[in-house]
Amino acid sequence: SPEHLYLKALGGSEATALRVLGRITQWAEVRTAFSTPDSELRDWADLTIVMRNPLDCRYVKNPVLWMHDLMFGAPELEEAREILRDVNPPIVGVSEFHKKHLEEFFPGQRITRIFNPVDEVWALEVRKVHDDRKVLFTSSPHKGFDKTLGTFMELVQRDPSFRFYYCNPGYWSGPHIQTKRIHDLGSIPHPNVLKHVQSSLCVLQVNDVFSETFGIVYAEANAVGTPVLTYDLGAAKEVLAQDGRQVLPLGSPTSAFVDRIIEFSTDRPKVNLDPRFALSRIADEWMALLR
């Protein structure tokens, strides 16, 4: 239920589903199920939002396929294409980058773009103060943690006053490090994550290995006034459009990230909630699709 957003660590896709579901059920009597094929919900739902897996569209009534991931040459790709041609569900991508990718894999299908939402309440409730020596990584470790940690180690060689904090949504195990300068926060509920985001100089994700289809971490950081530093990979530049200094060209050395962090400590980008991602707007777009 949407209350889990306050109670436990969640991945970005799961948290996004809860935000959207919570808002649209407040606004209208829509019998909508976020369902897996074996769920009893599919028997009474007017339509079913299928998360991520095109193959599940064959099991449910009136599916809407909400893709969060990139498609690759998996063995079931041709089967997925055949199912989607037969069922022809609306397909939702989460960025323009993602939509173009899906159009390449599923030509001729009905594909739309609905951004992942940021709840305006989070942006309003968090205090706007920060520690200009605190750098934060807040993603699953497979999204560039090793290179991010290496960048921080290079940073403290230049200026040992910086500290590095990191947390993990919990679906992928990572290293546990606790030192004077490096602090493992573990898997913590979303409000706690955002407090750390808001109090940091920047969110650092030196990620050149995993293309974010959206990057809710980026959008939420900006919403609470915190800039991000990452590579131009996936949807990063699209989501972080408020200030171009947040995205470095793919292939930039880690020293370029160190230079930018030091620059931010004296000339920090001014960022805020991007209205394109406001939950009220995104809920309207979902309602228009579901009707």
Side-chain angles (χ1 to χ4, degrees), residues 137-180:
F137 178 93
T138 173
S139 289
S140 180
H142 72 286
K143 297 181 179 182
F145 176 80
D146 290 344
K147 198 163 187 175
T148 301
L149 181 61
T151 300
F152 173 75
M153 299 307 295
E154 189 173 335
L155 172 66
V156 294
Q157 290 179 4
R158 298 256 300 267
D159 186 338
S161 67
F162 281 96
R163 290 166 287 110
F164 180 67
Y165 292 74
Y166 68 99
C167 54
N168 182 345
Y171 56 81
W172 196 299
S173 62
H176 172 67
I177 306 171
Q178 289 286 2
T179 70
K180 180 179 178 180

Side-chain angles (χ1 to χ4, degrees), residues 142-148 205-211 218 230-234 248-254 257:
H142 72 286
K143 297 181 179 182
F145 176 80
D146 290 344
K147 198 163 187 175
T148 301
Q205 189 174 352
V206 190
N207 169 30
D208 59 359
V209 293
F210 186 92
S211 294
Y218 305 156
T230 191
Y231 277 118
D232 182 8
L233 184 67
L248 295 181
L250 200 58
S252 298
T254 54
F257 283 87

Side-chain angles (χ1 to χ4, degrees), residues 236-251:
K237 184 178 288 187
E238 182 180 348
V239 172
L240 295 170
Q242 290 189 65
D243 191 303
R245 293 181 295 163
Q246 298 182 95
V247 180
L248 295 181
L250 200 58

Side-chain angles (χ1 to χ4, degrees), residues 213-283:
T213 54
F214 180 77
I216 193 64
V217 167
Y218 305 156
E220 289 188 332
N222 278 192
V224 298
T226 301
V228 175
L229 267 178
T230 191
Y231 277 118
D232 182 8
L233 184 67
K237 184 178 288 187
E238 182 180 348
V239 172
L240 295 170
Q242 290 189 65
D243 191 303
R245 293 181 295 163
Q246 298 182 95
V247 180
L248 295 181
L250 200 58
S252 298
T254 54
S255 59
F257 283 87
V258 172
D259 291 342
R260 193 61 56 86
I261 294 169
I262 293 173
E263 175 190 330
F264 281 7
S265 67
T266 57
D267 181 21
R268 191 171 184 248
K270 292 179 173 58
V271 291
N272 49 40
L273 174 64
D274 190 318
R276 295 177 298 160
F277 312 140
L279 177 56
S280 56
R281 177 173 180 167
I282 300 305

